[in-house]
Amino acid sequence: MRISAGFATTALPTPPHGLLAGYAVADRRTRTSSAPLTATIARFQVPRTPLRAHTPDTTRPINPTNPDNPTNPDAAHTALVWVAIDALAVSRPLHSAIRAAVRQQLPGATVLVSASHTHSAPGAWCGTIHPLLPAALDLAQIDAVAQQIGSALPQVRSVDLVRGVASVTGVGSNRNDPARPVYATVGVLAALLPDDHPGDHSAGPIGLIVDHACHPTVLGPDSTAWSPDWVAGLRDGLADSLGAVPVLFLQGAAGDVSTRFSRRCPTTAEAIRIGRRVAAGALSALESARPVDPAAGIGGHRHVLVLNRRDAEAELRTIDPPGSTTAGTDSQQRARRQGLAGLRTLAAHPGPHTLIAPVHDLRIGSARYLTTPFELPNDWGRRLATAGDLRVIGYTDDYLGYLADEDAHRAGSYEATSSYADAAEARRLLSELTAIATLTGPAAT
């Protein structure tokens, strides 16, 4: 079986003076643009390969063709469309609008939408992703974004796929403890046109999927520009070597990883410098890439996990705010104070008791991805990747905030105190994600 693929990048319409999402700063509005916000689209196609729903004990089945109708898990999928967007998060309305626009062109396609998590994109696209970060959804802007993506769907061609992984340095570190090791790798999946001579792909890739785990937050809360942040430097660095190749960037398990201790200053030039370091890692991964076996086609499973929301009000009664915010650097203390503010805001806005988390175990030939709507701890990303020989991707198809590890909960870090999940619930969800990562079986059924 041969996989067909196509890639395209399109600039997204942005308002001239919109609300910038990502930082807990009131009325932070844009005044300019340092680089266009874009969407990159990867389309994969094989004859009749459905992405079936899978149901562990804690999930309910859904129909991946129509998640609102769980009664038809055997619907055929001839296409997978993965959209990566320069946005803080993927709201449900944004995902639904993009999926509908894609399916106008490709009925029945499986559609995934991932956000880069830049903190310099419109709040109107994601709305209030946490009570600490209020923003109003603008359905007209969301529709304009979706229609732009739907009109940019690429045609597919028969391709050979290769994948590689390489280490990268000087980009991110654990933002609470810079001495703590991080899983600093870049994953690459490249589509190459077949040549008359097997193994000879001198023409170079027609598209890349690149993943790395690090918050795109070189530009801080004082920035008033639309920007992909360091992801723009990744694209620039790859374009210098490969030409104008579409690069679909996927954010990894970046919940506790940022450029806090590696950036020299919060400027666009510094964001470009750091992004070029990621590009160097991606080029190294491409040089050592090995062929992807296409025999399995396109497939996998979609899981629905249930997050039981913490009792923030009860937890606040057990926390001593002064003692939990005085240790560490000024930036760490500020982050803990913001985290406690997040916990207080959760207590003041209780919301539903359960949250639904879409999780994909996706296979593209022998390449495998595990996508979640969470900001996962970096070490969890390492453990899940090792357990299943896969790449772990966050910020996909929805946004449910941080899941924090035991160290973060003990330290009272921002990731832990602003999370919808307490320590016990986070442990349970890690166990479920690990069970998914260790699943084996055919990639397509």
Side-chain angles (χ1 to χ4, degrees), residues 22-378:
Y23 295 108
V25 176
D27 202 36
R28 175 176 165 246
R29 293 189 176 273
T30 185
R31 297 176 184 172
T32 184
S33 177
S34 67
L37 301 180
T38 65
T40 300
I41 307 156
R43 175 182 169 188
F44 298 95
Q45 193 162 308
V46 293
R48 195 171 180 82
T49 55
L51 181 66
R52 296 173 61 97
H54 181 74
T55 312
D57 292 343
T58 55
T59 69
R60 64 179 179 82
I62 64 171
N63 171 7
T65 301
N66 179 4
D68 297 321
N69 175 13
T71 61
N72 183 20
D74 293 316
H77 290 259
T78 59
L80 163 69
V81 176
W82 203 336
V83 179
I85 182 172
D86 290 330
L88 176 68
V90 178
S91 62
R92 289 188 180 182
L94 180 62
H95 176 257
S96 295
I98 292 173
R99 183 180 61 195
V102 170
R103 287 182 176 171
Q104 286 180 353
Q105 309 294 324
L106 296 172
T110 297
V111 182
L112 275 66
V113 184
S114 299
S116 68
H117 199 51
T118 175
H119 285 37
S120 298
W125 294 354
C126 59
T128 299
I129 62 171
H130 188 284
L132 194 62
L133 301 170
L137 279 171
D138 187 322
L139 296 181
Q141 287 190 43
I142 287 174
D143 184 64
V145 166
Q147 292 306 312
Q148 181 65 30
I149 291 169
S151 68
L153 287 179
Q155 297 299 310
V156 297
R157 293 179 281 180
S158 181
V159 297
D160 292 331
L161 297 175
V162 297
R163 61 171 174 161
V165 177
S167 297
V168 64
T169 60
V171 177
S173 63
N174 184 286
R175 63 185 185 182
N176 299 306
D177 179 4
R180 184 174 177 179
V182 295
Y183 184 56
T185 63
V186 182
V188 172
L189 180 68
L192 307 163
L193 293 179
D195 193 87
D196 293 337
H197 305 286
D200 180 2
H201 302 102
S202 55
I206 64 167
L208 298 172
I209 295 179
V210 178
D211 70 87
H212 180 61
C214 180
H215 264 68
T217 50
V218 176
L219 302 178
D222 294 332
S223 173
T224 57
W226 300 131
S227 175
D229 206 273
W230 66 251
V231 179
L234 163 67
R235 295 169 181 151
D236 287 353
L238 290 173
D240 286 349
S241 295
L242 303 175
V245 177
V247 178
L248 188 147
F249 172 70
L250 300 173
Q251 186 62 258
D256 51 4
V257 176
S258 79
T259 62
R260 178 175 294 167
F261 299 108
S262 58
R263 61 182 178 251
R264 299 167 181 169
C265 53
T267 64
T268 297
E270 177 66 356
I272 297 298
R273 183 189 71 82
I274 287 178
R276 284 178 173 273
R277 295 191 69 91
V278 183
L283 290 169
S284 178
L286 187 59
E287 288 177 1
S288 60
R290 297 184 176 182
V292 170
D293 183 358
I298 301 166
H301 301 284
R302 176 170 171 155
H303 307 251
V304 178
L305 306 188
V306 177
L307 185 159
N308 296 298
R309 186 165 163 157
R310 73 197 307 171
D311 187 344
E313 185 175 359
E315 288 186 62
L316 281 172
R317 293 194 290 267
T318 69
I319 292 176
D320 177 15
S324 62
T325 59
T326 54
T329 65
D330 289 345
S331 61
Q332 288 169 326
Q333 292 179 41
R334 183 170 60 252
R336 291 191 187 101
R337 288 193 296 270
Q338 289 176 344
L340 283 172
L343 190 60
R344 295 188 189 102
T345 308
L346 286 176
H349 300 82
H353 294 297
T354 59
L355 300 172
I356 302 302
V359 173
H360 287 276
D361 175 6
L362 184 67
R363 321 290 178 100
I364 303 172
S366 57
R368 188 180 177 200
Y369 294 89
L370 179 66
T371 75
T372 85
F374 300 115
E375 300 199 47
L376 293 176
N378 183 259

Side-chain angles (χ1 to χ4, degrees), residues 4-18:
S4 296
F7 290 75
T9 295
T10 185
L12 298 175
T14 51
H17 302 292

Side-chain angles (χ1 to χ4, degrees), residues 382-406:
R382 177 191 62 81
R383 292 160 65 180
L384 291 168
T386 303
D389 187 22
L390 49 78
R391 302 300 292 175
V392 178
I393 310 301
Y395 315 89
T396 298
D397 283 1
D398 201 351
Y399 179 84
L400 296 183
Y402 292 99
L403 292 183
D405 60 21
E406 296 285 353

